[in-house]
Amino acid sequence: AGLTANASERELLLARADAGRLCLAPQRVCLTDILRAVCEDLRALAPDLDLRADLADRVMVSGDAGLLSQALMNLADTP
């Protein structure tokens, strides 16, 4: 169910971008924290998945935390 919802969110995001209504709010965010959260979500959605992550400490980037999280989930959902 979680990955299906993710697909719906992806379609909504694309529709907003196509309509020019996508509001980006880039700021300094910790990519490491976002990756950890995505890994936790994936483990909850697919407990049989063998997921390993070797993450650097406090990798800071400029971006929208929600969109970065969604992009990483999209990558994980792509076969």
Side-chain angles (χ1 to χ4, degrees), residues 2-19:
L3 294 180
T4 302
N6 192 31
S8 298
E9 290 171 10
R10 182 173 39 223
E11 292 300 319
L12 181 59
L13 177 68
L14 289 173
R16 285 184 181 147
D18 287 343

Side-chain angles (χ1 to χ4, degrees), residues 14-76:
L14 289 173
R16 285 184 181 147
D18 287 343
R21 296 188 338 237
L22 182 62
C23 297
L24 299 177
Q27 53 189 298
R28 296 280 296 164
V29 295
C30 181
L31 187 58
T32 304
D33 291 345
I34 295 170
L35 283 166
R36 281 193 179 112
V38 167
C39 287
E40 288 175 17
D41 290 347
L42 290 170
R43 286 183 183 109
L45 290 169
D48 295 334
L49 181 68
D50 182 19
L51 179 64
R52 297 180 202 139
D54 183 18
L55 306 174
D57 288 335
R58 309 293 302 161
V59 174
M60 301 301 291
V61 297
S62 178
D64 182 294
L67 291 176
L68 286 168
S69 178
Q70 187 170 16
L72 292 168
M73 286 296 288
N74 290 349
L75 287 172

